[in-house]
């Protein structure tokens, strides 16, 4: 059997495997069961990784200015604590339990509760009885897993006092509060009376269209060291590609951003000073506490038994803080307190991705639609990178034109690599070609593309945002795979138009890339695939323009070679009779 045939079969096997995985995921795996399993896993994880409200692990013994002791796995599942007060508005619903904690926050806006889009395979699966998943809208979206460390949870250094606190319920001044959209905050007072200590938590809630904004004033009847938690991260969107964990800024407003991701937290804890805010986040949502005091806060992040980070603020007296629970909407966080925009995290490339998002948001305000804004962003980026792309394509074209001469040199000096390399360099120099000229511009574009990828993948603003008829949510996959197919087709056309110097085997692999990328991106958010598709279409148009420029240059060169010189014309001119 020929080597090429073997390679072809291996590549075919890879493609068939991709197709099998995609079909299996839609026909065999029930999406509703998968979601249920994820929710159960989140609950189990919170039970494994955090202290239950009524377990012995709820009585940590920690020294002043040290983190609370990391818990071990809870030996049993603690029952949910009774709810003593509810705060309700048109957009959120908040439950306060009898330990004075924010037990749950529900988001009620339709962009968070909209049903999942059903695609081609879902409909086909239902038709054959292979998939019974129903896509029904939620009434409200819960953000927290049960039996986890919750916002406003207090732990004391004194073990006896901590035991009293976990067994003494709070009393609420109101069992039900309604927030109206009139700018008037509503106050809730929570009081815990113990034999030698009285704790008063005074909360003010503010109406907001997206999340929960509040202030918290904690008054102790006598000073004592304690830790206040902003709560473990929400679990409303547990996507594995996004950042999950704690984000804070240390050493003041001009300090450094610190990130402790799930499974990376240290059991002994990490200490941070001059902290303006501390936040725990999933892909789209966050819970945080912050201060406007320039001195900041002393914070600790402790790893539980699974090394998931638990955030605490270390205190020893009365304190007044501000808090927020809800989506990581950039402009909303900016309106609350500008440093909070650092909660919107894009990874190592955040410094570059954030301006990209601001440009995308400006385009959205101009066009009124996130889909068209993505198209506008793609065109602007391509125009900015046009000089680099042009140089890269022209360099590749020169190399392609030199391919016959390069093969001659390779054949002539195949036994002498040094001479072959020397003659190759002379050939490149003579014709102004650079073997790295086509690669360098592409390498410089990678940070740009990666920044856009991170922005589109993490922007909660794209959630439930419609573009055209069949795309009702740019943050989830195209339900009918139209965009991925267009992306693959445009990628194939772009490859066909782009000059290359590949050998036959490499060319075969190159031709399979559109198929592989289509299968790989088929479940990615539609906004990402839209960007890639428009980017390919723009590249096709640019390549056609460059091809015309190259054709004109060649025509000029051919005409120049065919046109006789002036001296030659005079020599060949027939003599006239005198």
């Amino acid at each position: 059997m020929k080597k090429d045939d073997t390679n072809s079969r291996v590549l075919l096997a890879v493609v068939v495997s991709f197709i099998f995985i995609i079909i299996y995921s839609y026909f065999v795996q029930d999406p509703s069961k998968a979601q249920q399993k994820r929710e159960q896993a989140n609950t189990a994880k919170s039970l494994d990784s955090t202290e239950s409200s009524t377990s012995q692990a709820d009585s940590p013994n920690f020294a002043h200015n040290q983190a609370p002791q990391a818990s071990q796995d809870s030996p049993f599942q603690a029952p949910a604590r009774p709810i003593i007060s509810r705060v309700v508005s048109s957009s959120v619903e908040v439950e306060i339990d009898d330990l004075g904690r924010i037990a749950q926050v529900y988001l009620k806006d339709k962009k968070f509760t909209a049903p999942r889009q059903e695609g081609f395979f879902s409909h086909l699966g239902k038709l054959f009885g292979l998939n019974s998943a129903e896509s029904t809208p939620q009434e409200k979206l819960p953000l927290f897993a049960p039996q986890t460390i919750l916002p406003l949870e207090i732990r004391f250094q004194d073990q006896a006092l901590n035991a009293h606190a976990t067994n003494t319920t709070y009393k609420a001044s109101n069992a039900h509060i309604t927030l109206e959209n009139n700018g008037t905050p509503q106050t809730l007072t929570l009081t815990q009376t113990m034999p030698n200590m009285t704790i008063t938590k005074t909360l003010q809630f503010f109406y907001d269209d997206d999340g929960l904004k509040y202030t918290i004033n904690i008054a102790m009847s006598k000073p004592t060291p304690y830790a206040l938690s902003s709560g473990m991260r929400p679990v409303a969107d547990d996507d594995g590609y996004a950042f999950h964990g704690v984000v804070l800024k240390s050493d003041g407003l001009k300090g450094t951003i610190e990130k402790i991701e799930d499974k990376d937290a240290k059991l002994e804890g990490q200490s941070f000073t001059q902290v303006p805010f501390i936040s725990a986040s999933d892909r789209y949502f966050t819970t945080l506490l912050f201060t406007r005091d320039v001195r900041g806060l002393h914070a600790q992040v402790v790893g539980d038994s699974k090394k998931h980070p638990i955030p605490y603020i270390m205190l020893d007296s009365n304190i007044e803080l501000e808090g927020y629970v809800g989506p990581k909407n950039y402009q909303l966080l900016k309106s609350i307190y500008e440093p909070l925009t650092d909660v919107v995290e894009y990874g190592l490339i955040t410094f570059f991705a954030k301006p990209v998002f601001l440009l995308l948001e400006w385009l959205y305000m101009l066009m009124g639609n996130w889909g068209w804004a993505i198209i506008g962003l793609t065109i602007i980026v391509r125009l900015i990178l046009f000089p680099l792309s042009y140089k890269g394509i022209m360099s590749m074209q020169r190399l392609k034109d030199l391919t016959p001469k390069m093969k001659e040199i390779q054949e002539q000096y195949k036994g002498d690599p040094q001479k072959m390399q020397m003659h190759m360099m002379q050939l490149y120099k003579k014709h102004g070609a650079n073997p790295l000229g086509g690669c360098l511009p592409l390498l410089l574009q990678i940070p740009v593309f990666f920044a856009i990828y991170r922005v589109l993948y993490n922007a909660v603003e794209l959630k439930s945002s419609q573009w055209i008829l069949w795309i009702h949510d740019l943050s989830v996959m195209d339900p009918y795979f139209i965009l991925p197919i267009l992306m693959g087709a445009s990628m194939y056309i772009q490859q066909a138009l782009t000059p290359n110097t590949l050998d036959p085997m490499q060319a075969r692999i190159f031709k399979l890339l559109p198929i592989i990328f289509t299968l790989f991106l088929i479940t990615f958010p539609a906004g990402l695939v839209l960007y890639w598709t428009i980017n390919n279409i723009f590249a096709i148009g640019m390549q056609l323009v460059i091809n015309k420029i190259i054709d004109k240059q060649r025509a000029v060169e051919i005409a120049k070679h065919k046109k006789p010189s002036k001296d030659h014309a005079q020599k060949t001119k027939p003599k006239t009779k005198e």
Side-chain angles (χ1 to χ4, degrees):
M1 184 182 292
K2 293 181 179 179
K3 185 179 178 181
D4 285 355
D5 292 340
T6 304
N7 291 333
S8 298
R9 292 190 179 191
V10 171
L11 290 171
L12 181 61
V14 172
V15 173
V16 171
S17 299
F18 268 106
I19 295 172
F20 173 79
I21 291 169
I22 296 298
I23 294 176
Y24 177 86
S25 65
Y26 279 97
F27 280 99
V28 180
Q29 185 180 5
D30 187 336
S32 63
K33 291 181 181 178
Q35 177 64 24
Q36 185 180 4
K37 286 179 181 178
R38 282 196 295 269
E39 292 173 354
Q40 290 172 350
N42 289 335
T43 302
K45 180 170 67 176
S46 66
L47 291 171
D48 287 340
S49 63
T50 63
E51 304 93 330
S52 297
S53 300
T54 59
S55 71
Q56 293 180 355
D58 248 345
S59 302
N61 182 17
F62 64 99
H64 183 42
N65 287 336
Q66 291 181 349
Q69 182 182 4
S71 68
Q72 299 301 316
D73 291 355
S74 177
F76 60 89
Q77 179 173 336
R81 303 293 304 193
I83 302 302
I84 60 173
S85 184
R86 283 183 169 83
V87 181
V88 179
S89 74
S90 59
S91 57
V92 298
E93 182 177 325
V94 183
E95 294 178 346
I96 308 294
D97 69 12
D98 66 347
L99 288 180
R101 309 174 302 178
I102 298 177
Q104 190 59 270
V105 174
Y106 299 95
L107 302 182
K108 300 194 287 186
D109 191 286
K110 63 180 181 180
K111 68 183 176 183
F112 303 122
T113 61
R116 176 183 56 82
Q117 293 188 95
E118 292 188 339
F120 171 76
F121 284 119
S122 296
H123 291 301
L124 194 60
K126 284 183 180 180
L127 183 64
F128 289 97
L130 297 172
N131 186 351
S132 60
E134 295 293 335
S135 181
T136 55
Q138 296 175 271
E139 181 182 348
K140 50 192 178 183
L141 176 69
L143 294 187
F144 300 131
Q147 291 83 46
T148 185
I149 298 294
L150 296 167
L152 309 187
E153 186 157 335
I154 290 179
R155 300 295 175 84
F156 291 95
Q157 175 185 347
D158 186 289
Q159 192 170 5
L161 180 59
N162 202 72
H164 278 302
T166 55
N167 290 285
T168 305
T169 60
Y170 279 75
K171 302 296 181 184
S173 60
N174 300 87
H176 186 90
I177 292 176
T178 301
L179 295 177
E180 302 289 349
N181 188 13
N182 56 12
T184 303
Q186 297 292 325
T187 302
L188 174 67
T189 302
L190 304 171
T191 306
Q192 185 183 47
T193 304
M194 294 178 286
N196 298 314
M197 169 78 73
T198 298
I199 304 171
T200 304
K201 295 179 181 178
T202 304
L203 294 109
Q204 270 199 325
F205 297 98
F206 299 84
Y207 179 89
D208 191 84
D209 290 332
D210 283 328
L212 171 69
K213 292 191 296 185
Y214 65 94
T215 62
I216 170 72
N217 185 298
I218 298 178
M220 302 279 184
S221 59
K222 63 179 182 180
T224 184
Y226 67 99
L228 174 70
S229 180
S230 60
M232 290 189 74
R233 70 171 178 84
V235 293
D237 195 304
D238 218 23
D239 188 277
Y241 291 103
F243 172 84
H244 300 123
V246 170
V247 177
L248 59 90
K249 178 172 275 189
S250 64
D251 300 325
L253 292 175
K254 295 184 178 180
T256 56
I257 299 294
E258 303 285 350
K259 296 176 292 183
I260 302 94
E261 198 161 2
D262 282 359
K263 300 182 181 179
D264 288 340
K266 297 179 180 179
L267 294 175
E268 65 274 18
Q270 294 172 264
S271 180
F272 305 93
T273 57
Q274 292 182 276
V275 175
F277 71 82
I278 188 165
S279 160
S281 306
D282 65 3
R283 178 184 178 188
Y284 286 142
F285 305 99
T286 187
T287 173
L288 59 87
L289 287 172
F290 66 97
T291 179
R292 299 175 194 264
D293 191 327
V294 294
R295 294 172 296 177
L297 303 164
H298 176 206
Q300 293 274 358
V301 179
V302 185
D304 61 18
S305 60
K306 301 294 184 181
K307 295 188 177 181
H308 296 116
I310 308 172
Y312 290 98
I313 297 170
M314 313 307 294
L315 302 162
D316 56 10
S317 60
N318 299 343
I319 189 71
E320 184 170 355
L321 300 169
E322 296 178 64
Y324 171 78
V325 181
K328 294 189 290 185
N329 183 298
Y330 187 91
Q331 290 301 330
L332 173 59
L333 293 172
K334 184 178 179 180
S335 68
I336 297 173
Y337 186 43
E338 188 165 358
L340 298 182
T341 56
D342 289 328
V343 172
V344 184
E345 203 277 328
Y346 301 113
L348 293 175
I349 206 162
T350 297
F351 72 96
F352 184 65
K354 191 170 287 188
V356 170
F357 171 77
L358 294 176
L359 173 59
L360 178 66
E361 189 176 49
W362 178 79
L363 290 169
Y364 166 73
M365 294 173 65
L366 195 66
M367 300 178 178
N369 183 280
W370 285 106
W372 296 116
I374 290 171
I375 293 174
L377 175 68
T378 310
I379 293 172
I380 289 173
V381 170
R382 291 299 307 197
L383 288 173
I384 292 172
L385 296 177
F386 178 81
L388 284 175
S389 302
Y390 178 80
K391 287 181 179 179
I393 293 172
M394 293 301 290
S395 181
M396 291 169 68
Q397 184 63 49
R398 290 191 192 99
L399 287 174
K400 183 180 178 182
D401 293 340
L402 293 175
T403 300
K405 294 182 180 179
M406 290 164 61
K407 287 183 178 179
E408 288 179 9
I409 293 173
Q410 289 169 351
E411 189 66 29
Q412 185 176 356
Y413 299 102
K414 60 183 178 181
D416 193 342
Q418 290 185 346
K419 280 191 176 182
M420 182 176 68
Q421 186 67 24
M422 182 185 69
H423 282 83
M424 283 287 192
M425 296 306 294
Q426 289 177 351
L427 181 67
Y428 296 149
K429 187 176 181 180
K430 180 180 177 181
H431 294 274
N434 185 352
L436 298 177
C439 299
L440 187 58
L442 293 176
L443 290 175
L444 293 175
Q445 291 178 43
I446 288 175
V448 179
F449 295 149
F450 186 66
I452 293 172
Y453 160 78
R454 296 291 296 182
V455 165
L456 296 180
Y457 197 82
N458 290 280
V460 70
E461 288 82 354
L462 267 64
K463 196 166 180 64
S464 296
S465 54
Q466 185 171 359
W467 177 43
I468 51 179
L469 292 177
W470 78 95
I471 301 292
H472 300 294
D473 189 346
L474 286 164
S475 70
V476 299
M477 60 178 284
D478 181 339
Y480 299 103
F481 312 132
I482 296 173
L483 277 178
I485 291 170
L486 287 175
M487 188 279 300
S490 61
M491 189 174 180
Y492 179 82
I493 295 170
Q494 181 188 358
Q495 285 183 358
L497 292 172
T498 303
N500 64 76
T501 58
L502 303 175
D503 60 46
M505 189 59 214
Q506 290 174 331
R508 286 187 191 179
I509 298 173
F510 202 58
K511 286 181 180 178
L512 282 174
L513 286 179
I515 298 174
I516 294 172
F517 271 83
T518 299
L519 294 174
F520 178 69
L521 292 173
I522 205 165
T523 59
F524 272 52
L528 275 173
V529 185
L530 174 62
Y531 163 76
W532 204 314
T533 304
I534 299 302
N535 186 66
N536 288 346
I537 292 172
F538 195 94
I540 290 169
M542 185 180 70
Q543 186 65 56
L544 290 172
V545 171
I546 291 175
N547 286 350
K548 285 187 176 180
I549 293 172
I550 292 171
D551 290 341
K552 285 184 179 179
Q553 289 177 349
R554 284 177 177 169
V556 170
E557 289 178 4
I558 291 171
K560 192 182 293 184
H561 287 306
K562 286 184 176 181
K563 185 178 180 181
S565 64
K566 188 175 181 182
D567 293 339
H568 179 72
Q570 289 178 350
K571 288 178 181 179
T572 56
K573 186 177 180 180
K575 294 182 179 180
T576 57
K577 293 181 180 180
E578 293 181 0

